[in-house]
Amino acid sequence: MTAARFSPMQRLLHWLMAACILAMLFIGVGMVSTLSTRYLALVSIHKPLGIAILLLALLRLGLRLRRGAPPLPSDLPEPMRLAAHVSHVALYGLMIAMPLLGWAMLSAEGYPVVLWQGLRLPPILPQSLEAYALLRQAHGLLGYAFFAVILAHLGAALFHALVRRDGVFEAMAPVPGRALD
Amino acid sequence: MAQPSRPSRFPLGSFVVIAAVLGGGAAAFAYTAGWLSPERLSRERVLAALSPPGGPAPGHRRNHTKGLCFTGSFEANGAGAALSRAPVLAAGRYPVIGRFNLASAVLAQPDGQARVRGLSLSITGPDGSEWRTAMITAPVFPVSNVEAFYALQMAARSKEPGAMGAFAAAHPEIAAFGAWAGSAPWTGSYAEERYNALNAFLFTDAGGRDHAVRWSVRPEARPVPVPHEQLTAKPPDFLNDEIKARIAAGPVRWTMTVTEAGPGDPVADPSKAWPEERRTVEVGTLTAEAVQEEQDGPCRDINYDPTVLPPGMRPSADPFPAARSSAYALSYERRAAEAAAYPHSAPGGRP
């Protein structure tokens, strides 16, 4: 792949999902902190939004495998190259794993997975208290890890955009930036 | 094309910008999580307030801790369809997994000392949708809102002599509950009790009209008043023993009724009863057909979250179902993590 930038579809998916995933993480951490009536409103967004993220992530993974990504700058130091690779694997893994963990966790609880009134997803695991305990813990801890990886990703993006100015940020920027002039 | 870098000649400002963005993001996340406001009423604090002196019983519910499972059916007569299009209210017979319980966080609570008793139901409708409800024998809830519920737990566990008096002075709504607790007859059986889902919910009928409702189950068995001293002299598990023997001899039934709020009735305050003359519809018959010890019973792993509702029912402005859903989820999470402390007595013990 030698294109300088991600395809318009890849960029659209990236920024759409960035908004969805950030909203999702804030909703998740906010809903478990509240007893107010907002709790139910947040939970009722969390579930369909999670399934939407899962579908978008699968679509995006397919595009990435088919279309690839612009090459990193040749002068990028090896440790940064490795960090870029590992963090992107983590981001794709979490985008797909988190919704599945949430769905599996509710299944193991025997709790109906209602996306909205009348639309219920089938359980993907049999009821098991022990499985629920593990999945619930994983869903929570990986949620925090997801936010940490996103902060690292954002920090790296800004580092490329503001400090290195090497075109990496512009490859995913919604509109062409200065570095491509 | 990714290009050779043209590094900024003044990177310090860029690093400040990056640090500000990341620090701001992390701070917003921490704020949303409640980590910056420990004084906020959280579900962790509510569970701590409910915790009995020796700590919660590992592997058990954090409140209504002592219980017994039963299975049976709900036979809807179809009259409920006038209020809700929920499939479970259409005429038919639907399976029930229920739980008799005491309103206490103490696992070893003697049955004769619990003023409030509970009945929880999970009814699965013909479309597979579930209706979960956790009801109690009190006709009104002691308090109006979640903050007052927390304050009540804190007053009840306080060693200050005037704590409960001060609470009652600040929360006069508790008088109605207090009057019931002081004067209502005690009975010697779970089967002789009426159980009330004190929270209001919204039913939506087939025409799309909303109805604010509360529901109850009324016993078929005639309540026989028993002096409280007689009950406290009985064995600690007499209620469990009694209901096991009674159901072994034949099914035990209740009539489920749904009462619709009138204009101006308090929907958001379960401490206020609605007037007696409100339209009340008998929607079906609940039958308990078999009893199982909780340890191996089908109710053990059910979270009786009152917001698990079929299409055609949803929470109202009443603040409690949301708070209960949130707190029950944490109770479930904790007892699930402690599952090894409350194992099945035999492999395959659970149906």
Side-chain angles (χ1 to χ4, degrees), chain A residues 27-122:
Chain A
I27 287 169
V29 82
M31 74 190 198
V32 298
S33 80
T34 185
L35 289 159
S36 74
T37 48
R38 283 192 298 274
Y39 175 79
L40 295 179
L42 292 172
V43 172
S44 70
I45 300 170
H46 196 80
K47 292 174 195 177
L49 186 55
I51 294 299
I53 289 172
L54 175 62
L55 296 175
L56 289 173
L58 292 173
L59 174 64
R60 191 165 161 204
L61 180 63
L63 271 179
R64 173 67 185 258
L65 293 176
R66 208 163 58 104
R67 305 205 48 152
L72 290 168
S74 50
D75 65 342
L76 193 69
E78 192 54 36
M80 289 178 74
R81 198 174 281 278
L82 182 67
H85 182 67
V86 169
S87 63
H88 283 89
V89 170
L91 285 168
Y92 272 95
L94 287 165
M95 283 189 283
I96 293 167
M98 283 293 283
L100 288 174
L101 277 172
W103 187 358
M105 164 189 125
L106 292 177
S107 303
E109 185 185 345
Y111 195 98
V113 187
V114 177
L115 293 192
W116 53 83
Q117 278 239 331
L119 179 59
R120 213 160 7 96
L121 293 182

Side-chain angles (χ1 to χ4, degrees), chain A residues 2-3 13 20 30 65 67 101 106 145 152 162 170:
Chain A
T2 53
L13 275 174
C20 289
L65 293 176
R67 305 205 48 152
L101 277 172
L106 292 177
L162 302 176
E170 286 71 14

Side-chain angles (χ1 to χ4, degrees), chain A residues 4 33-34 110-111 120 163 179, chain B residues 1 3 8 40 127 132 305 326:
Chain A
S33 80
T34 185
Y111 195 98
R120 213 160 7 96
V163 180
Chain B
M1 181 74 201
Q3 55 235 281
S8 165
R40 202 199 281 177
D127 62 335
R132 296 187 188 176
D305 178 335
S326 180

